[in-house]
Amino acid sequence: MADTIIETKALTKRYGGLTAVDDLNLTVRQGEVFGLLGPNGAGKTTTTLMLLGLTEPTGGTASISGVDCTRNPIQVKRFVGYLPDNMGFYPDMTGRQNLRMTGAMNGLSGDYLEARIDELVARVGMTEAVDRRAGTYSKGMKQRLGIADILIKDPDVLIMDEPTNGIDPEGMHELMALIRELAEKDGKTILISSHQLHQIQQICDRVGIFVKGKLVACGEIGELGKQLEQESGFRLEVGAEPGGKALAEALRGVEGVSSVEESGENFLVQSAADVSDAVARALLTRNFHLTYLRQCGSDLDEIYSRYFVKAGEQHEGSRSGSIFRHLRGEAKA
Amino acid sequence: MKAAAAAASSAISGAKPRRETGGFSTLYHKELADHFHSARFKLVFALLILTSLASLYGALSSISDATFTSSEYLFLAIYTASGSSIPSFASFLAYLAPLAGLAMGFDAINRERTQGTLTRLVSQPIHRDAVINAKFLAGTTVVFIMIFFVGIMVGGLGLAILGIPPVGEELLRIFSYLALTAVYTALWLGVSILCSTLCKHAATSALIVIAVWIYLTLFASMVASIIANIAYPLDGIQGYYNMYGNYELQLSLERTSPYYLYCEAATTLLNPNVRTIGITTQASVSGALASYLSFDQSLLLVWPHLTVMLALTMAAFTVSYIAFMRQEIRA
C-alpha cells in the first residue's frame, strides 16, 4: 500500500448559509493521479483552495505530506504546485520573465534557474514562444506555460483545477499525455479537478465524485462500476434482427432477467447476475441475428450519469436514491 | 520553526540553490520595473516636469520684475512665486501630486485579480502580505523619486538662471517641503491601493479615488463654509459675535481634508513669514517681534500636520492590508 500524501478529515467550508464543502474525508496516495469529478459549483475549487491554505476551512483539517495546510500554508506551497482555472501571466513580460519571477519567489536563481526554465519550456513544447510577450499567447499556450510555471519549484504534488478548460482536442491530447508522464516518470502525485469525465477516465487512477460539497463515491473507475452493478444489478444493452416484440419476448424468457425495456432500437435488459452468455445463447438458438451486445455500468459515462446528473433529483426514482444513500454512508464511514 | 521549515524544504529540493524569503524583494523589483515601463508613469512624470517648468518660468519672470517685493529668502520664491497667470510650483504640485499617487495605485490589486496572476502569486511559498507590501513600497519609492526629481530640477534650473545660491536654511526648508509633498502623495497612493483592494474593477476604483480627490481638493472648503455659516450666521449684529465661532468651526472642518492640511504645512515650510496658523488675536500678537520664523520653529508648527498625514497614510494602508489578507482568493 502506497503512502497517503493528501489527507482531509471532516473538511468543511461554509459561506453563510451555503455549505460549499461538507464533511469531506479524502485520501490521495503517493504517486497516483486522482480525479475530483463534479458538476460546476460542487465545491471542487473550494477544496483545492483549502488544500493550499488559501481559504480557511470552517471545520476539519487538511494536510499534505503531514503538513497542516491551514496552519503552515507556506511550507505546503513549497512542494505543492497549483494550476488554477484561469492561470494568468503578466502580459507585458515574456514567458521567460514570468517563469523567472516564479523561480525567484521560490528562492531559485542564477544558472540553475535558467537551465531549469529551458528544460521545462522544452518539455511543454514552448521553446519557440517563450521569449514572446505573454500577452500574445493563446489559451492553450498559457496552459502549457502554466504547467512549466508550477513545475519550476519541482513540486511533489500537483493540484490542477480544470486543466482542460478551453483547450482544443489536439492540445488536450498532449496535455493528457504530459500529465500521465508526470505521474509515471516523475512520480508526482496529481490531483485534478474537472467536470469533463472523458479526460479524467483516460488518465486517472482513482476518481472521487463530488456533488453539492459531498463526496458521494470514491475509488477506481472499474470499482465504481462494480459497486453500481452490485447495487442495481447488471444491465445489458441488446440489439438483434429481427427486433420488435418477438425479441422482447425472447429476452424475457432468458433465465435471471428481471425486466426488459425498450431504448431506441435496442433493449435494456436488467438482471441480478451477469446473463450476457445466456442471452447470446438464447437469441442464437431462436435464430435471431445478434447485432449489439454491451454491458452497461462499467464506463465513466454511466457512472457520471448515475451519480451526478441525477444528484439533484435523488429523491425521485427510488433506485438511484438508494444507491446514493448507500454510497454516501460508505464515503462517510 | 523557520529552521525546521528550511530543513524540510531542502530535504525536498535536494541540491537546488535555494534561499529564503525571495518573495518581497522579487515582487518589489517587479513592481518597480512595472512602474518605470508603464505608459502611465511616463505620462504622469512628463506632466509633472512640464508643469514645474511652466511654474519656474512664471516665477522667474515675476522675480525679475522690478516690482517684486523680495524677502530675505529669494531662493524659496522660485517655489512659491507665481507670475504671468501661471500658478506657483507649490500650488501646481498641491493639485498634481495626488494625481500621481492615484495613477500609481488605483489598479494595483484588482488588475492582478483580473489578470489571474494573483492566484499564481499566492500559490507560491511567499507570505501573502508580501504582495501588498511590495506594491505599496514600490509605489512610494516611485512617488519619492518623482517628487524629489521635479523639486530638485526646479531648484537647479532656478539656481542657474537666478545665480543666487540658497542658504542652508532654504535647502532644509525645500527638502522638508519635498518630503512633505511625497508623504502627501503616498497618502493618495494608499487611498488608491485601498480602493483597488475593495473594488473588483479598475474603472470603479479609479472613479472613486478621483471623486474623493476632487471633493477633498475643491469642494470640501465650500461645504465647510456652508456648514459654518449655518451654525454661526454672520448676518446682523449677532454676526459679529459669531465671527470667532464661525471661523473656528470652518477651520476645523477644513482641516479634516488632507488637502488643506498639506497646503497649510507647505505654506508654513516654504514661507518663513508665516508665524502662526489658525486664529491669532490682537492680544497674542502684541509685543511680538516682526521677524522671520526659524526653520525649527516652522517645523514645529507643521509637526501635527505631518503626523496626521503619516497617520492617514498608515490608516489607508492598514485597512487595505487587512482587507487584502482577509479576501478570498478565487480564480
Side-chain angles (χ1 to χ4, degrees), chain A residues 15 46 49 74 77-78 88 90-91 98 102 106-107 112 149 153-154, chain B residues 16-20 112 115-116 120 122-125 127 328 330:
Chain A
Y15 292 104
T46 311
L49 289 179
I74 293 196
K77 285 185 265 187
R78 283 206 181 95
Y90 294 108
N98 270 293
T102 306
N106 282 286
Y112 177 85
D149 190 72
K153 59 176 129 174
D154 195 16
Chain B
K16 275 182 283 182
R18 260 181 209 266
R19 53 198 163 76
E20 288 298 311
E112 298 272 354
Q115 262 174 196
R120 211 174 113 231
V122 296
S123 57
Q124 305 304 330
H127 293 277
E328 280 278 308
R330 279 254 164 188

PDB file of all heavy atoms in Angstrom, chain A residues 15 46 49 74 77-78 88 90-91 98 102 106-107 112 149 153-154, chain B residues 16-20 112 115-116 120 122-125 127 328 330:
ATOM      1  N   TYR A  15     -20.126  29.142   3.448  1.00  0.00           N
ATOM      2  CA  TYR A  15     -20.214  30.574   3.141  1.00  0.00           C
ATOM      3  C   TYR A  15     -21.606  31.007   3.571  1.00  0.00           C
ATOM      4  O   TYR A  15     -22.564  30.764   2.856  1.00  0.00           O
ATOM      5  CB  TYR A  15     -20.045  30.824   1.640  1.00  0.00           C
ATOM      6  CG  TYR A  15     -18.665  30.529   1.128  1.00  0.00           C
ATOM      7  CD1 TYR A  15     -18.404  29.373   0.403  1.00  0.00           C
ATOM      8  CD2 TYR A  15     -17.621  31.423   1.342  1.00  0.00           C
ATOM      9  CE1 TYR A  15     -17.144  29.110  -0.084  1.00  0.00           C
ATOM     10  CE2 TYR A  15     -16.356  31.164   0.861  1.00  0.00           C
ATOM     11  CZ  TYR A  15     -16.124  30.010   0.151  1.00  0.00           C
ATOM     12  OH  TYR A  15     -14.865  29.753  -0.331  1.00  0.00           O
ATOM     13  N   THR A  46     -13.134  25.115  -4.128  1.00  0.00           N
ATOM     14  CA  THR A  46     -13.007  25.433  -2.702  1.00  0.00           C
ATOM     15  C   THR A  46     -12.111  24.408  -2.014  1.00  0.00           C
ATOM     16  O   THR A  46     -11.270  24.755  -1.187  1.00  0.00           O
ATOM     17  CB  THR A  46     -14.396  25.448  -2.054  1.00  0.00           C
ATOM     18  OG1 THR A  46     -15.257  26.245  -2.855  1.00  0.00           O
ATOM     19  CG2 THR A  46     -14.338  25.999  -0.667  1.00  0.00           C
ATOM     20  N   LEU A  49      -8.530  25.066  -2.924  1.00  0.00           N
ATOM     21  CA  LEU A  49      -8.030  26.262  -2.241  1.00  0.00           C
ATOM     22  C   LEU A  49      -7.724  25.968  -0.774  1.00  0.00           C
ATOM     23  O   LEU A  49      -6.750  26.476  -0.224  1.00  0.00           O
ATOM     24  CB  LEU A  49      -9.041  27.408  -2.354  1.00  0.00           C
ATOM     25  CG  LEU A  49      -9.193  28.030  -3.735  1.00  0.00           C
ATOM     26  CD1 LEU A  49     -10.243  29.126  -3.716  1.00  0.00           C
ATOM     27  CD2 LEU A  49      -7.879  28.597  -4.230  1.00  0.00           C
ATOM     28  N   ILE A  74       2.705  28.134   3.917  1.00  0.00           N
ATOM     29  CA  ILE A  74       3.912  28.438   3.144  1.00  0.00           C
ATOM     30  C   ILE A  74       4.746  27.190   2.934  1.00  0.00           C
ATOM     31  O   ILE A  74       5.252  26.936   1.837  1.00  0.00           O
ATOM     32  CB  ILE A  74       4.706  29.552   3.850  1.00  0.00           C
ATOM     33  CG1 ILE A  74       3.870  30.816   3.768  1.00  0.00           C
ATOM     34  CG2 ILE A  74       6.068  29.733   3.227  1.00  0.00           C
ATOM     35  CD1 ILE A  74       4.567  32.063   4.047  1.00  0.00           C
ATOM     36  N   LYS A  77       3.115  25.155   0.304  1.00  0.00           N
ATOM     37  CA  LYS A  77       3.274  25.692  -1.050  1.00  0.00           C
ATOM     38  C   LYS A  77       4.685  25.489  -1.589  1.00  0.00           C
ATOM     39  O   LYS A  77       4.922  25.684  -2.766  1.00  0.00           O
ATOM     40  CB  LYS A  77       2.884  27.176  -1.071  1.00  0.00           C
ATOM     41  CG  LYS A  77       1.367  27.347  -1.009  1.00  0.00           C
ATOM     42  CD  LYS A  77       0.952  28.780  -1.146  1.00  0.00           C
ATOM     43  CE  LYS A  77       0.756  29.417   0.197  1.00  0.00           C
ATOM     44  NZ  LYS A  77       0.202  30.764   0.122  1.00  0.00           N
ATOM     45  N   ARG A  78       5.628  25.094  -0.726  1.00  0.00           N
ATOM     46  CA  ARG A  78       6.974  24.801  -1.220  1.00  0.00           C
ATOM     47  C   ARG A  78       6.998  23.539  -2.058  1.00  0.00           C
ATOM     48  O   ARG A  78       7.791  23.414  -2.958  1.00  0.00           O
ATOM     49  CB  ARG A  78       7.946  24.623  -0.055  1.00  0.00           C
ATOM     50  CG  ARG A  78       8.330  25.925   0.533  1.00  0.00           C
ATOM     51  CD  ARG A  78       9.672  25.876   1.199  1.00  0.00           C
ATOM     52  NE  ARG A  78       9.918  27.203   1.747  1.00  0.00           N
ATOM     53  CZ  ARG A  78       9.651  27.528   3.005  1.00  0.00           C
ATOM     54  NH1 ARG A  78       9.213  26.632   3.837  1.00  0.00           N
ATOM     55  NH2 ARG A  78       9.842  28.752   3.415  1.00  0.00           N
ATOM     56  N   GLY A  88      -3.012  33.164 -15.031  1.00  0.00           N
ATOM     57  CA  GLY A  88      -2.663  34.394 -15.735  1.00  0.00           C
ATOM     58  C   GLY A  88      -1.180  34.666 -15.686  1.00  0.00           C
ATOM     59  O   GLY A  88      -0.494  34.247 -14.766  1.00  0.00           O
ATOM     60  N   TYR A  90       1.813  37.930 -16.492  1.00  0.00           N
ATOM     61  CA  TYR A  90       1.924  39.362 -16.721  1.00  0.00           C
ATOM     62  C   TYR A  90       2.077  39.599 -18.215  1.00  0.00           C
ATOM     63  O   TYR A  90       3.050  39.156 -18.811  1.00  0.00           O
ATOM     64  CB  TYR A  90       3.095  39.929 -15.943  1.00  0.00           C
ATOM     65  CG  TYR A  90       2.862  39.846 -14.465  1.00  0.00           C
ATOM     66  CD1 TYR A  90       3.553  38.956 -13.676  1.00  0.00           C
ATOM     67  CD2 TYR A  90       1.883  40.637 -13.872  1.00  0.00           C
ATOM     68  CE1 TYR A  90       3.287  38.851 -12.327  1.00  0.00           C
ATOM     69  CE2 TYR A  90       1.618  40.534 -12.523  1.00  0.00           C
ATOM     70  CZ  TYR A  90       2.327  39.645 -11.760  1.00  0.00           C
ATOM     71  OH  TYR A  90       2.054  39.535 -10.426  1.00  0.00           O
ATOM     72  N   PRO A  91       1.122  40.288 -18.831  1.00  0.00           N
ATOM     73  CA  PRO A  91       1.106  40.378 -20.287  1.00  0.00           C
ATOM     74  C   PRO A  91       2.296  41.157 -20.869  1.00  0.00           C
ATOM     75  O   PRO A  91       2.668  40.925 -22.012  1.00  0.00           O
ATOM     76  CB  PRO A  91      -0.219  41.086 -20.591  1.00  0.00           C
ATOM     77  CG  PRO A  91      -0.623  41.731 -19.331  1.00  0.00           C
ATOM     78  CD  PRO A  91      -0.047  40.925 -18.219  1.00  0.00           C
ATOM     79  N   ASN A  98       8.277  35.748 -16.895  1.00  0.00           N
ATOM     80  CA  ASN A  98       7.261  35.282 -15.966  1.00  0.00           C
ATOM     81  C   ASN A  98       7.753  34.078 -15.171  1.00  0.00           C
ATOM     82  O   ASN A  98       7.584  34.003 -13.960  1.00  0.00           O
ATOM     83  CB  ASN A  98       5.986  34.910 -16.731  1.00  0.00           C
ATOM     84  CG  ASN A  98       5.028  36.076 -16.867  1.00  0.00           C
ATOM     85  OD1 ASN A  98       4.469  36.539 -15.886  1.00  0.00           O
ATOM     86  ND2 ASN A  98       4.841  36.545 -18.077  1.00  0.00           N
ATOM     87  N   THR A 102       8.634  33.502 -11.013  1.00  0.00           N
ATOM     88  CA  THR A 102       8.153  32.408 -10.159  1.00  0.00           C
ATOM     89  C   THR A 102       9.334  31.694  -9.519  1.00  0.00           C
ATOM     90  O   THR A 102       9.307  31.355  -8.331  1.00  0.00           O
ATOM     91  CB  THR A 102       7.341  31.410 -10.999  1.00  0.00           C
ATOM     92  OG1 THR A 102       6.334  32.119 -11.681  1.00  0.00           O
ATOM     93  CG2 THR A 102       6.715  30.361 -10.124  1.00  0.00           C
ATOM     94  N   ASN A 106      10.454  31.289  -5.490  1.00  0.00           N
ATOM     95  CA  ASN A 106      10.716  30.017  -4.836  1.00  0.00           C
ATOM     96  C   ASN A 106      12.164  29.903  -4.398  1.00  0.00           C
ATOM     97  O   ASN A 106      12.637  28.817  -4.073  1.00  0.00           O
ATOM     98  CB  ASN A 106      10.360  28.873  -5.774  1.00  0.00           C
ATOM     99  CG  ASN A 106       8.870  28.655  -5.824  1.00  0.00           C
ATOM    100  OD1 ASN A 106       8.286  28.137  -4.906  1.00  0.00           O
ATOM    101  ND2 ASN A 106       8.238  29.116  -6.899  1.00  0.00           N
ATOM    102  N   GLY A 107      12.863  31.028  -4.429  1.00  0.00           N
ATOM    103  CA  GLY A 107      14.226  31.040  -3.928  1.00  0.00           C
ATOM    104  C   GLY A 107      15.251  30.465  -4.891  1.00  0.00           C
ATOM    105  O   GLY A 107      16.358  30.138  -4.498  1.00  0.00           O
ATOM    106  N   TYR A 112      21.186  27.805 -12.455  1.00  0.00           N
ATOM    107  CA  TYR A 112      20.291  26.682 -12.188  1.00  0.00           C
ATOM    108  C   TYR A 112      18.890  27.009 -12.666  1.00  0.00           C
ATOM    109  O   TYR A 112      18.237  26.225 -13.346  1.00  0.00           O
ATOM    110  CB  TYR A 112      20.279  26.361 -10.691  1.00  0.00           C
ATOM    111  CG  TYR A 112      19.317  25.255 -10.350  1.00  0.00           C
ATOM    112  CD1 TYR A 112      19.689  23.926 -10.461  1.00  0.00           C
ATOM    113  CD2 TYR A 112      18.014  25.556  -9.959  1.00  0.00           C
ATOM    114  CE1 TYR A 112      18.798  22.916 -10.180  1.00  0.00           C
ATOM    115  CE2 TYR A 112      17.116  24.548  -9.681  1.00  0.00           C
ATOM    116  CZ  TYR A 112      17.509  23.229  -9.788  1.00  0.00           C
ATOM    117  OH  TYR A 112      16.607  22.239  -9.528  1.00  0.00           O
ATOM    118  N   ASP A 149       5.304  26.603 -15.313  1.00  0.00           N
ATOM    119  CA  ASP A 149       5.396  27.518 -14.183  1.00  0.00           C
ATOM    120  C   ASP A 149       5.279  26.785 -12.845  1.00  0.00           C
ATOM    121  O   ASP A 149       6.038  27.048 -11.916  1.00  0.00           O
ATOM    122  CB  ASP A 149       4.277  28.557 -14.313  1.00  0.00           C
ATOM    123  CG  ASP A 149       4.426  29.688 -13.325  1.00  0.00           C
ATOM    124  OD1 ASP A 149       5.331  30.500 -13.519  1.00  0.00           O
ATOM    125  OD2 ASP A 149       3.651  29.727 -12.358  1.00  0.00           O
ATOM    126  N   LYS A 153       9.314  24.872  -9.281  1.00  0.00           N
ATOM    127  CA  LYS A 153       9.783  24.589  -7.917  1.00  0.00           C
ATOM    128  C   LYS A 153       9.958  23.100  -7.681  1.00  0.00           C
ATOM    129  O   LYS A 153      10.264  22.701  -6.580  1.00  0.00           O
ATOM    130  CB  LYS A 153       8.811  25.202  -6.917  1.00  0.00           C
ATOM    131  CG  LYS A 153       7.398  24.700  -7.029  1.00  0.00           C
ATOM    132  CD  LYS A 153       6.548  25.310  -5.923  1.00  0.00           C
ATOM    133  CE  LYS A 153       5.290  25.936  -6.470  1.00  0.00           C
ATOM    134  NZ  LYS A 153       4.378  26.398  -5.452  1.00  0.00           N
ATOM    135  N   ASP A 154       9.781  22.301  -8.712  1.00  0.00           N
ATOM    136  CA  ASP A 154       9.901  20.856  -8.612  1.00  0.00           C
ATOM    137  C   ASP A 154       9.021  20.310  -7.498  1.00  0.00           C
ATOM    138  O   ASP A 154       9.506  19.731  -6.520  1.00  0.00           O
ATOM    139  CB  ASP A 154      11.369  20.461  -8.377  1.00  0.00           C
ATOM    140  CG  ASP A 154      11.567  18.970  -8.648  1.00  0.00           C
ATOM    141  OD1 ASP A 154      10.695  18.369  -9.287  1.00  0.00           O
ATOM    142  OD2 ASP A 154      12.577  18.420  -8.189  1.00  0.00           O
TER     143      ASP A 154
ATOM    144  N   LYS B  16      19.229  21.899  -4.837  1.00  0.00           N
ATOM    145  CA  LYS B  16      18.928  23.154  -5.508  1.00  0.00           C
ATOM    146  C   LYS B  16      19.420  24.350  -4.706  1.00  0.00           C
ATOM    147  O   LYS B  16      19.339  24.343  -3.477  1.00  0.00           O
ATOM    148  CB  LYS B  16      17.423  23.285  -5.706  1.00  0.00           C
ATOM    149  CG  LYS B  16      16.969  22.584  -6.954  1.00  0.00           C
ATOM    150  CD  LYS B  16      15.501  22.756  -7.154  1.00  0.00           C
ATOM    151  CE  LYS B  16      14.730  21.843  -6.241  1.00  0.00           C
ATOM    152  NZ  LYS B  16      13.308  21.954  -6.452  1.00  0.00           N
ATOM    153  N   PRO B  17      19.940  25.366  -5.387  1.00  0.00           N
ATOM    154  CA  PRO B  17      20.398  26.548  -4.666  1.00  0.00           C
ATOM    155  C   PRO B  17      19.220  27.377  -4.210  1.00  0.00           C
ATOM    156  O   PRO B  17      18.729  28.231  -4.936  1.00  0.00           O
ATOM    157  CB  PRO B  17      21.232  27.289  -5.708  1.00  0.00           C
ATOM    158  CG  PRO B  17      20.658  26.877  -7.017  1.00  0.00           C
ATOM    159  CD  PRO B  17      20.092  25.516  -6.835  1.00  0.00           C
ATOM    160  N   ARG B  18      18.731  27.129  -3.040  1.00  0.00           N
ATOM    161  CA  ARG B  18      17.565  27.853  -2.564  1.00  0.00           C
ATOM    162  C   ARG B  18      17.970  28.874  -1.529  1.00  0.00           C
ATOM    163  O   ARG B  18      18.828  28.634  -0.701  1.00  0.00           O
ATOM    164  CB  ARG B  18      16.595  26.877  -1.897  1.00  0.00           C
ATOM    165  CG  ARG B  18      15.455  26.484  -2.802  1.00  0.00           C
ATOM    166  CD  ARG B  18      14.544  25.558  -2.064  1.00  0.00           C
ATOM    167  NE  ARG B  18      13.891  24.662  -3.003  1.00  0.00           N
ATOM    168  CZ  ARG B  18      12.699  24.907  -3.525  1.00  0.00           C
ATOM    169  NH1 ARG B  18      12.044  25.981  -3.210  1.00  0.00           N
ATOM    170  NH2 ARG B  18      12.163  24.054  -4.363  1.00  0.00           N
ATOM    171  N   ARG B  19      17.334  30.033  -1.576  1.00  0.00           N
ATOM    172  CA  ARG B  19      17.480  30.940  -0.449  1.00  0.00           C
ATOM    173  C   ARG B  19      16.082  31.274   0.047  1.00  0.00           C
ATOM    174  O   ARG B  19      15.103  31.079  -0.674  1.00  0.00           O
ATOM    175  CB  ARG B  19      18.254  32.195  -0.848  1.00  0.00           C
ATOM    176  CG  ARG B  19      17.680  32.876  -2.036  1.00  0.00           C
ATOM    177  CD  ARG B  19      18.662  33.839  -2.672  1.00  0.00           C
ATOM    178  NE  ARG B  19      18.198  34.126  -4.003  1.00  0.00           N
ATOM    179  CZ  ARG B  19      17.186  34.929  -4.268  1.00  0.00           C
ATOM    180  NH1 ARG B  19      16.575  35.556  -3.301  1.00  0.00           N
ATOM    181  NH2 ARG B  19      16.786  35.114  -5.499  1.00  0.00           N
ATOM    182  N   GLU B  20      16.040  31.746   1.276  1.00  0.00           N
ATOM    183  CA  GLU B  20      14.723  32.016   1.867  1.00  0.00           C
ATOM    184  C   GLU B  20      14.251  33.427   1.499  1.00  0.00           C
ATOM    185  O   GLU B  20      15.034  34.258   1.036  1.00  0.00           O
ATOM    186  CB  GLU B  20      14.808  31.872   3.380  1.00  0.00           C
ATOM    187  CG  GLU B  20      14.940  30.427   3.834  1.00  0.00           C
ATOM    188  CD  GLU B  20      13.736  29.575   3.446  1.00  0.00           C
ATOM    189  OE1 GLU B  20      12.603  29.998   3.701  1.00  0.00           O
ATOM    190  OE2 GLU B  20      13.941  28.494   2.874  1.00  0.00           O
ATOM    191  N   GLU B 112      -4.205  42.548 -10.823  1.00  0.00           N
ATOM    192  CA  GLU B 112      -3.650  41.206 -10.593  1.00  0.00           C
ATOM    193  C   GLU B 112      -4.776  40.185 -10.570  1.00  0.00           C
ATOM    194  O   GLU B 112      -4.642  39.069 -11.044  1.00  0.00           O
ATOM    195  CB  GLU B 112      -2.927  41.148  -9.247  1.00  0.00           C
ATOM    196  CG  GLU B 112      -1.749  42.054  -9.112  1.00  0.00           C
ATOM    197  CD  GLU B 112      -0.452  41.429  -9.591  1.00  0.00           C
ATOM    198  OE1 GLU B 112      -0.453  40.239  -9.925  1.00  0.00           O
ATOM    199  OE2 GLU B 112       0.551  42.145  -9.634  1.00  0.00           O
ATOM    200  N   GLN B 115      -6.234  39.731 -14.136  1.00  0.00           N
ATOM    201  CA  GLN B 115      -5.252  39.044 -14.983  1.00  0.00           C
ATOM    202  C   GLN B 115      -5.100  37.578 -14.614  1.00  0.00           C
ATOM    203  O   GLN B 115      -4.554  36.802 -15.378  1.00  0.00           O
ATOM    204  CB  GLN B 115      -3.880  39.689 -14.779  1.00  0.00           C
ATOM    205  CG  GLN B 115      -3.513  40.693 -15.816  1.00  0.00           C
ATOM    206  CD  GLN B 115      -2.218  41.394 -15.459  1.00  0.00           C
ATOM    207  OE1 GLN B 115      -1.924  42.411 -16.017  1.00  0.00           O
ATOM    208  NE2 GLN B 115      -1.464  40.855 -14.532  1.00  0.00           N
ATOM    209  N   GLY B 116      -5.525  37.244 -13.396  1.00  0.00           N
ATOM    210  CA  GLY B 116      -5.336  35.871 -12.938  1.00  0.00           C
ATOM    211  C   GLY B 116      -3.947  35.629 -12.391  1.00  0.00           C
ATOM    212  O   GLY B 116      -3.561  34.490 -12.143  1.00  0.00           O
ATOM    213  N   ARG B 120      -1.636  33.026  -8.951  1.00  0.00           N
ATOM    214  CA  ARG B 120      -0.301  32.476  -9.179  1.00  0.00           C
ATOM    215  C   ARG B 120       0.647  32.949  -8.089  1.00  0.00           C
ATOM    216  O   ARG B 120       1.456  32.179  -7.583  1.00  0.00           O
ATOM    217  CB  ARG B 120       0.199  32.927 -10.553  1.00  0.00           C
ATOM    218  CG  ARG B 120       1.101  31.914 -11.186  1.00  0.00           C
ATOM    219  CD  ARG B 120       1.438  32.332 -12.598  1.00  0.00           C
ATOM    220  NE  ARG B 120       2.834  32.648 -12.711  1.00  0.00           N
ATOM    221  CZ  ARG B 120       3.295  33.767 -13.229  1.00  0.00           C
ATOM    222  NH1 ARG B 120       2.478  34.685 -13.676  1.00  0.00           N
ATOM    223  NH2 ARG B 120       4.582  33.965 -13.294  1.00  0.00           N
ATOM    224  N   VAL B 122      -0.095  33.975  -4.992  1.00  0.00           N
ATOM    225  CA  VAL B 122      -0.353  33.460  -3.650  1.00  0.00           C
ATOM    226  C   VAL B 122      -0.180  31.953  -3.568  1.00  0.00           C
ATOM    227  O   VAL B 122      -0.154  31.409  -2.470  1.00  0.00           O
ATOM    228  CB  VAL B 122      -1.749  33.861  -3.127  1.00  0.00           C
ATOM    229  CG1 VAL B 122      -1.851  35.348  -2.969  1.00  0.00           C
ATOM    230  CG2 VAL B 122      -2.831  33.327  -4.023  1.00  0.00           C
ATOM    231  N   SER B 123      -0.041  31.261  -4.703  1.00  0.00           N
ATOM    232  CA  SER B 123       0.241  29.835  -4.586  1.00  0.00           C
ATOM    233  C   SER B 123       1.749  29.575  -4.581  1.00  0.00           C
ATOM    234  O   SER B 123       2.171  28.434  -4.624  1.00  0.00           O
ATOM    235  CB  SER B 123      -0.466  29.047  -5.689  1.00  0.00           C
ATOM    236  OG  SER B 123      -0.104  29.504  -6.951  1.00  0.00           O
ATOM    237  N   GLN B 124       2.532  30.638  -4.525  1.00  0.00           N
ATOM    238  CA  GLN B 124       3.979  30.466  -4.326  1.00  0.00           C
ATOM    239  C   GLN B 124       4.269  30.500  -2.824  1.00  0.00           C
ATOM    240  O   GLN B 124       3.497  31.074  -2.061  1.00  0.00           O
ATOM    241  CB  GLN B 124       4.750  31.582  -5.031  1.00  0.00           C
ATOM    242  CG  GLN B 124       4.435  31.726  -6.499  1.00  0.00           C
ATOM    243  CD  GLN B 124       4.646  30.456  -7.275  1.00  0.00           C
ATOM    244  OE1 GLN B 124       5.496  29.645  -6.921  1.00  0.00           O
ATOM    245  NE2 GLN B 124       3.854  30.245  -8.314  1.00  0.00           N
ATOM    246  N   PRO B 125       5.398  29.927  -2.431  1.00  0.00           N
ATOM    247  CA  PRO B 125       5.692  29.917  -0.991  1.00  0.00           C
ATOM    248  C   PRO B 125       6.166  31.273  -0.480  1.00  0.00           C
ATOM    249  O   PRO B 125       7.302  31.432  -0.050  1.00  0.00           O
ATOM    250  CB  PRO B 125       6.787  28.857  -0.872  1.00  0.00           C
ATOM    251  CG  PRO B 125       7.430  28.836  -2.195  1.00  0.00           C
ATOM    252  CD  PRO B 125       6.378  29.172  -3.190  1.00  0.00           C
ATOM    253  N   HIS B 127       4.786  34.930   1.801  1.00  0.00           N
ATOM    254  CA  HIS B 127       3.713  35.422   2.648  1.00  0.00           C
ATOM    255  C   HIS B 127       2.778  36.265   1.805  1.00  0.00           C
ATOM    256  O   HIS B 127       3.226  36.992   0.922  1.00  0.00           O
ATOM    257  CB  HIS B 127       4.284  36.249   3.794  1.00  0.00           C
ATOM    258  CG  HIS B 127       5.074  35.423   4.752  1.00  0.00           C
ATOM    259  ND1 HIS B 127       4.480  34.705   5.758  1.00  0.00           N
ATOM    260  CD2 HIS B 127       6.391  35.192   4.839  1.00  0.00           C
ATOM    261  CE1 HIS B 127       5.410  34.054   6.420  1.00  0.00           C
ATOM    262  NE2 HIS B 127       6.582  34.327   5.894  1.00  0.00           N
ATOM    263  N   GLU B 328     -11.025  36.539  -0.130  1.00  0.00           N
ATOM    264  CA  GLU B 328     -10.968  35.245  -0.774  1.00  0.00           C
ATOM    265  C   GLU B 328     -10.127  35.369  -2.024  1.00  0.00           C
ATOM    266  O   GLU B 328     -10.262  36.325  -2.783  1.00  0.00           O
ATOM    267  CB  GLU B 328     -12.378  34.824  -1.195  1.00  0.00           C
ATOM    268  CG  GLU B 328     -13.206  34.264  -0.099  1.00  0.00           C
ATOM    269  CD  GLU B 328     -12.899  32.796   0.132  1.00  0.00           C
ATOM    270  OE1 GLU B 328     -12.934  32.023  -0.820  1.00  0.00           O
ATOM    271  OE2 GLU B 328     -12.617  32.449   1.291  1.00  0.00           O
ATOM    272  N   ARG B 330      -9.854  33.888  -5.390  1.00  0.00           N
ATOM    273  CA  ARG B 330     -10.587  32.986  -6.277  1.00  0.00           C
ATOM    274  C   ARG B 330     -10.121  33.199  -7.695  1.00  0.00           C
ATOM    275  O   ARG B 330      -9.863  34.320  -8.095  1.00  0.00           O
ATOM    276  CB  ARG B 330     -12.092  33.277  -6.203  1.00  0.00           C
ATOM    277  CG  ARG B 330     -12.730  32.636  -5.015  1.00  0.00           C
ATOM    278  CD  ARG B 330     -13.526  31.463  -5.482  1.00  0.00           C
ATOM    279  NE  ARG B 330     -13.845  30.611  -4.346  1.00  0.00           N
ATOM    280  CZ  ARG B 330     -14.401  29.422  -4.487  1.00  0.00           C
ATOM    281  NH1 ARG B 330     -14.685  28.971  -5.676  1.00  0.00           N
ATOM    282  NH2 ARG B 330     -14.659  28.675  -3.450  1.00  0.00           N
TER     283      ARG B 330
END
